[in-house]
Amino acid sequence: MVKQGKVVETVNLSVELAPRNPHGLRLRNPVMVASGTFGYGSEYAKLVDVHRLGAIICKGTTLERRDGNIGPRTAETAAGMLNAIGLQNRGVDWLLREHAPRWAKWKTPVIVNIAAESVAEYADLAYQLDGREGVAGIEVNISCPNVAGGNVPFGSSPTAAAEVTAAVRRASSLPLIIKLSPNVADIASIAAAVEAAGADAVSLINTVLGMAIDVQRRRPMLGNTFGGLSGPAIKPIALRLVYQVAQAVSIPIIGIGGIASTSDALEFLMAGATAVQVGSASFTNPHAALNLLDGLERWLLVAGVAEVREIVGAALPK
Amino acid sequence: MVKQGKVVETVNLSVELAPRNPHGLRLRNPVMVASGTFGYGSEYAKLVDVHRLGAIICKGTTLERRDGNIGPRTAETAAGMLNAIGLQNRGVDWLLREHAPRWAKWKTPVIVNIAAESVAEYADLAYQLDGREGVAGIEVNISCPNVAGGNVPFGSSPTAAAEVTAAVRRASSLPLIIKLSPNVADIASIAAAVEAAGADAVSLINTVLGMAIDVQRRRPMLGNTFGGLSGPAIKPIALRLVYQVAQAVSIPIIGIGGIASTSDALEFLMAGATAVQVGSASFTNPHAALNLLDGLERWLLVAGVAEVREIVGAALPK
Amino acid sequence: MQQFTATVSGHREVAPNLVRVNLTAPPRMLRGAAAGQFVFVRASNADSHEPYLRRPYSLAAFDEEAGTLALLVRVVGRGSRWIAERVEGEELDVLGPLGSGFKLDERTRHLLVVIGGERQSHLATVLPLLAPAAAREVTITILIEADTAANLPPPSLLPPEVEYQTATRDGSAGHRGSALDFAKNLLPWADQVLAAGDDPFLLRLKQICAKLYPLPKVQAAVERSMACAVGVCLGCAVETQGTGYARACVEGPVFDLDRLALLS
Amino acid sequence: MQQFTATVSGHREVAPNLVRVNLTAPPRMLRGAAAGQFVFVRASNADSHEPYLRRPYSLAAFDEEAGTLALLVRVVGRGSRWIAERVEGEELDVLGPLGSGFKLDERTRHLLVVIGGERQSHLATVLPLLAPAAAREVTITILIEADTAANLPPPSLLPPEVEYQTATRDGSAGHRGSALDFAKNLLPWADQVLAAGDDPFLLRLKQICAKLYPLPKVQAAVERSMACAVGVCLGCAVETQGTGYARACVEGPVFDLDRLALLS
Ligand SMILES: Cc1cc2nc3c(=O)[nH]c(=O)nc-3n(C[C@H](O)[C@H](O)[C@H](O)COP(=O)(O)OP(=O)(O)OC[C@H]3O[C@@H](n4cnc5c(N)ncnc54)[C@H](O)[C@@H]3O)c2cc1C
Ligand SMILES: Cc1cc2nc3c(=O)[nH]c(=O)nc-3n(C[C@H](O)[C@H](O)[C@H](O)COP(=O)(O)OP(=O)(O)OC[C@H]3O[C@@H](n4cnc5c(N)ncnc54)[C@H](O)[C@@H]3O)c2cc1C
Ligand SMILES: Cc1cc2nc3c(=O)[nH]c(=O)nc-3n(C[C@H](O)[C@H](O)[C@H](O)COP(=O)(O)O)c2cc1C
Ligand SMILES: Cc1cc2nc3c(=O)[nH]c(=O)nc-3n(C[C@H](O)[C@H](O)[C@H](O)COP(=O)(O)O)c2cc1C
Ligand code: FES
Ligand code: FES
């Protein structure tokens, strides 16, 4: 039953993440690093050849500087971790001043992840990023609470998600990725709504809401009580959500969630993802993304697959 | 900051799970074993002293015999596993004939877990179990697809969940536990709805929907494509859901999800659960539930807690 | 069935990636054990959740009196690697013996054993019954296949009386092809046939048998992924002819071949 | 910062549950290392996801030229146990050196070191600077506390020139009470103070200092749970006086005590 491949000599790893966008977003390979787990690209640069990555998503950026949550902010869990950073960052001006000029010189595109608490703020952020050298695209984190909408996250209703998408779309012509939350009952309808509202691609999943309790102190482990679960523990959930979204949209999907190895990445590609993001696995092994990339190339060669695109969605119902 | 306890000589571990029900459902201790992971109580009896358990929940039972899903039915994941058994069982008649008479002689109460694809079937099952010797209560699995309702699980809408609850409540006066699904956006509203519809207690969580892909064969690992994720991987999610439900209902909560150790159980109790169920941890260690129980008693003694009830909800906001 | 701590008394690589692990168990743990039965072994330290599930291993040898047993472990992943790496004196958390083993008919004089599929450790399922059968003057022929010579279990694992016929897919040892290529000729000779392998292999064997008259009496050991191994999870479903699913861990792993509805 | 494979060259239990692990590293891995810096160590086999995160350990000793380093590991859970159990010849996956270490002022003649809190391995943070300082004729006094005598790190870990004053909560060795009980008297003597411990301990130290004039110059090593240890996750936030959060893994773990806004 193992598929026998034809003999291929090289593999074309490149993927296009924004086929509908006039700028396009072509990556040399489908292996990216996820927001909040790779800083602004430079922190790991001493250790890892970041120029081999498909793309880098920077830490979530807001309009104004944010101090973030009181600690503890992280807790280890079985095959994973919780985080409640609270979007600590220095704001979009600082980002554009301190980082974008450097990114403009990199071979690897950097996509800016944005977060906000109102539709207007999202649009404002997108407007400020539009046309700026060094910014290859925007990834919109819609897991943030909608302050005007009773603090329900934008990502939990198709309407609110579509509203954010449309506003960002109007404010910027950059390739636009909407990052979906897993804490919903029907992700496919949200994915379809953001596609219709103009998203170039969707990425999923953001972290799964969880918590841990400090039994000795009889109180929540995290300063913020709840936190986002990431790591191998959530991979089966993320994979299922990608598989469901792949049957609901025709824009590219970026798979995220517990990806640490080549075989993890292959699972996501076969479930319908065009590219993947490596998140907290970089903490355990800073070389995780590049090792995975090397392994992916070898696997495709051995399997006789000449274009990575050929295996995208291979496990979907025929 | 570690709480200093007073000196206690014995610990009262007993808990009441159906305070509103005329029959009541008093357990000697709060450690139960979860549906589908302990068969009908007799399989592990050679290995484990099942009479020390707080209660046993038997495998999900339907009106008629069900053959279950095509294999593979299980797959291992990081710190957990997926299952898609498909509710294989021989139907309620067989259960009442082959097992209930034996259970009637046991010290440990056995609660029958039921599953159905229509409200009428749920009610019929409850009616058949009502007043039968050996059946101490009913746990209703509402994660099953509602065939008349577009195959959306009953557990994903407050209305459908309440409808099932009310129908079962009318059909039987037995202690009634509604087992909630985690695959929803707002579990608190569902818990509140089943409480209002007459549930004596809620148990949570059932498995989280997930999948795995067989990369060599380029197809889903499970015969059923999707399966339920259980084990330590889901504990942070389950704990967060219990913590949320504890702030929405006043009936007892039974915590389930990745519980394998005394400290796991304490986390759930402190999050607001009155009792816990040990699920797939029994597969790894058949003595998991009893070891946990022994550890719980020791922990309470050392902490100077005379009644297990005292720590229920200890980590909730004051 | 018991849960016990077994102590590694030795381990030895008998072929590349095929390790024999010898264990000693407390008294009375192996009462009534039979070839084809298995144990369910924890493949991690008690404080780790990875790998999460225990691993099933056939009893490759056991001595009820001496309280010793052996596993024949093919290293295919992290669980098997962990077990195969345990050194003398280390302890394993073991559940067993489990399942239903082979039932050798007392009248059998000609015993044919057919081992195939992707993993040659399937041979372990029959090992414990070979020497006792040979001692009762049963003539035994084993047919076994592997992809290549290096993966064939060495004949030293077998009693000397056993005839051992090998096939390799690449022709590097024995017959080039499948063990089933000989089976056709030997099946009529056998009073009883014991088989072990993956489903596609057992299906092919069944198809060969179907063409013979009288139908050979074949018991076959199947493999399924297992979560509990004690019959409660219903994960190890084996489809039968007309009687729904049976559990590989309780009713199996050994079944009458004609009871099985196999998929390729 | 580098990622490298270090080989265990020895390990030794220096006190109950306190293990010194000696390591050799490839050349040039420890360039510019300083006391108070740390390494981030993988505490599992590469094929296991448990425990998921690496573990931070202070450089308890290092020799840039020889390529050797040592950790002082207090066994408190599964990660520390795994590391402390590695035997000679086994390899560790190490990231480091990381963070900002102690900066010993060249003019310092009287150095006071105050170690407290729940884990006596905090002592590791200063160990590498003691011998060089003593060689420069700095007079060093260490105050350290533990719950009970058995948990005090043995004086054999220290250069002989160091004065070592101990306190135990149960009075089983040294002074009964806290190391901070002596601190009041010794703080005015010191030109420079180095401290390490948990937040409540450092807060008490800060409160004591606040009452003194001139304010003692204290550098303190804090501890935070860490996910990345390279500054990207922002998980190791340390609240500062008026300048928001700093990262324990980059700006810290050593901070000027008066910069810290500590919680009890
Ligand atoms: C009743 C029974 C008896 C068994 N007896 C033996 C025995 O005596 N000796 C022996 O070496 N093995 C035996 N096995 C198989 C053995 O249990 C598996 O090889 C082992 O569980 C793999 O664990 P792992 O963590 O090393 O591999 P994993 O990491 O779980 O898997 C690694 C690779 O091996 C494949 N794999 C996993 N399980 C199996 C399997 N059952 N069959 C084929 N491929 C598999 C996986 O698909 C994967 O590609 C038996 C299995 C059963 C059900
Ligand atoms: C910069 C830095 C340097 C460190 N240097 C050393 C050192 O030189 N020697 C040393 O022994 N330890 C040191 N630690 C602490 C060490 O990292 C932890 O003890 C270790 O990570 C615990 O891992 P574990 O898996 O054994 O315990 P876990 O299973 O993670 O935890 C077991 C128990 O220990 C507690 N615990 C975990 N981490 C800490 C902590 N940081 N402080 C107090 N209690 C904790 C947990 O709350 C839990 O109760 C340092 C920590 C930091 C941040
Ligand atoms: C410490 C940490 C910080 C994160 N910060 C952000 C963020 O700022 N914006 C965002 O969209 N996602 C953020 N994420 C989510 C990750 O990008 C990713 O979606 C998630 O961790 C799941 O992937 P993983 O399992 O590979 O880690 C963060 C995750 C972690 C662990
Ligand atoms: C193999 C298997 C079968 C299960 N069958 C049922 C079932 O029939 N009915 C039900 O309500 N839950 C069933 N469950 C869910 C468990 O009762 C439990 O809710 C879930 O496994 C989470 O707990 P755990 O992480 O401790 O395993 C099953 C779980 C497993 C692993
Ligand atoms: S493995 Fe659980 S029933 Fe067979
Ligand atoms: S541990 Fe990640 S920023 Fe410090």
Side-chain angles (χ1 to χ4, degrees), chain C residues 55-58 72-74 76-77 79-80 119 121 124 223-224:
Chain C
R55 297 292 188 259
Y57 282 93
S58 306
L72 195 61
V73 178
R74 179 73 194 267
V76 297
S80 48
R119 271 197 312 92
S121 51
E223 277 198 9
R224 289 293 180 275

Side-chain angles (χ1 to χ4, degrees), chain B residues 67 73 76 78-79 284 287, chain C residues 3 50 52-55 234:
Chain B
D67 275 349
R73 290 178 172 187
E76 193 179 56
T284 308
H287 290 94
Chain C
Q3 184 173 6
E50 287 253 301
Y52 187 53
L53 299 173
R54 288 169 178 260
R55 297 292 188 259
L234 309 179

Side-chain angles (χ1 to χ4, degrees), chain A residues 76, chain D residues 38 55-58 72-74 76-81 119 121 124 222-224 226 253:
Chain A
E76 192 179 55
Chain D
F38 64 100
R55 298 292 189 259
Y57 281 94
S58 305
L72 195 62
V73 178
R74 179 72 193 269
V76 296
R78 56 194 183 148
S80 47
R81 190 175 321 119
R119 271 194 315 90
S121 51
V222 301
E223 277 200 7
R224 288 294 180 274
M226 292 184 175

